[in-house]
Amino acid sequence: MPNIRNNLAVHCCGVLPNQVIFANKIAKMRELDRQLLGLFVSRAATSEVAPDEFEGFMESHVDALLRYTQRP
């Protein structure tokens, strides 16, 4: 029977320190951009925007979102 002192890692609950991945700021920004793009695609699909109208939809929708931020 192994002694607990010999390998405490097998008794560790959860994530081990050497398994933790640290995300940098640039990677996080790319992740957020992909999420935003996914939301725009979903919103455009819900609005039945044609693929060739997607870019214009994004531009006009960003303008609409900016107006929402200016309302009291």
Side-chain angles (χ1 to χ4, degrees), residues 35 47 53 69:
Q35 290 175 354
S47 299
E53 298 173 348
T69 65

Side-chain angles (χ1 to χ4, degrees), residues 16-35:
L16 296 174
N18 65 350
Q19 296 173 332
V20 176
I21 298 172
F22 293 95
N24 65 31
K25 186 176 180 181
I26 300 298
K28 187 61 177 178
M29 290 188 317
R30 280 194 297 258
E31 177 187 345
L32 292 169
D33 286 343
R34 286 189 298 268
Q35 290 175 354

Side-chain angles (χ1 to χ4, degrees), residues 8 14 25 38-39 44 50 58:
L8 293 176
K25 186 176 180 181
L39 289 171
M58 281 187 54

Side-chain angles (χ1 to χ4, degrees), residues 52-71:
D52 60 330
E53 298 173 348
F54 181 69
E55 187 175 337
F57 169 81
M58 281 187 54
E59 290 173 4
S60 65
H61 207 68
V62 167
D63 291 340
L65 293 172
L66 286 171
R67 285 192 300 276
Y68 293 151
T69 65
Q70 297 168 357
R71 291 185 181 168

